[in-house]
Amino acid sequence: MFTSTSKNWLSTSVKSSIAALVLATTSLSAQANEVSVTESLVTNIEQNLTHASQEMFSTMQHEIMLSLQTQIAEQVFELTATESATEQADEVNTAIAAAKAK
């Protein structure tokens, strides 16, 4: 009788130990999956931020170049207009001086 009870107790202990081992292994596996998913999520966020930053800097550089080109074009236009007005004024002054000399 002692042997039968010992065998039942031993069998139950082994089954319980196996069940505990399976549960612990499953729990560790689930935690590893969570860590893997979290690392993957962080990596994706970092990549998205890097890509967005690169696009923002590229767009900003393009906008600055367009702004500078516009400002230069406006200044060249104003300079040309001023130069043209100065030439016309010189021509008028020359004509007036010639008319006075007659």
Side-chain angles (χ1 to χ4, degrees), residues 7-80:
K7 285 183 183 179
N8 284 340
W9 181 82
L10 184 60
S11 175
T12 304
S13 295
V14 169
K15 288 178 184 178
S16 297
S17 296
I18 290 173
L21 181 64
V22 167
L23 286 175
T25 303
T26 304
S27 175
L28 288 175
S29 176
Q31 289 175 357
N33 285 340
E34 287 178 15
V35 168
S36 176
V37 168
T38 302
E39 287 176 358
S40 176
L41 182 61
V42 168
T43 301
N44 285 339
I45 290 172
E46 287 175 345
Q47 288 175 349
N48 288 342
L49 285 174
T50 301
H51 182 68
S53 296
Q54 288 173 347
E55 280 187 17
M56 181 182 67
F57 286 126
S58 176
T59 301
M60 185 174 60
Q61 181 182 17
H62 184 69
E63 291 291 326
I64 289 171
M65 291 302 295
L66 287 176
S67 175
L68 289 173
Q69 288 174 351
T70 302
Q71 290 175 13
I72 290 170
E74 288 173 351
Q75 289 177 355
V76 167
F77 178 77
E78 288 175 9
L79 183 62
T80 303

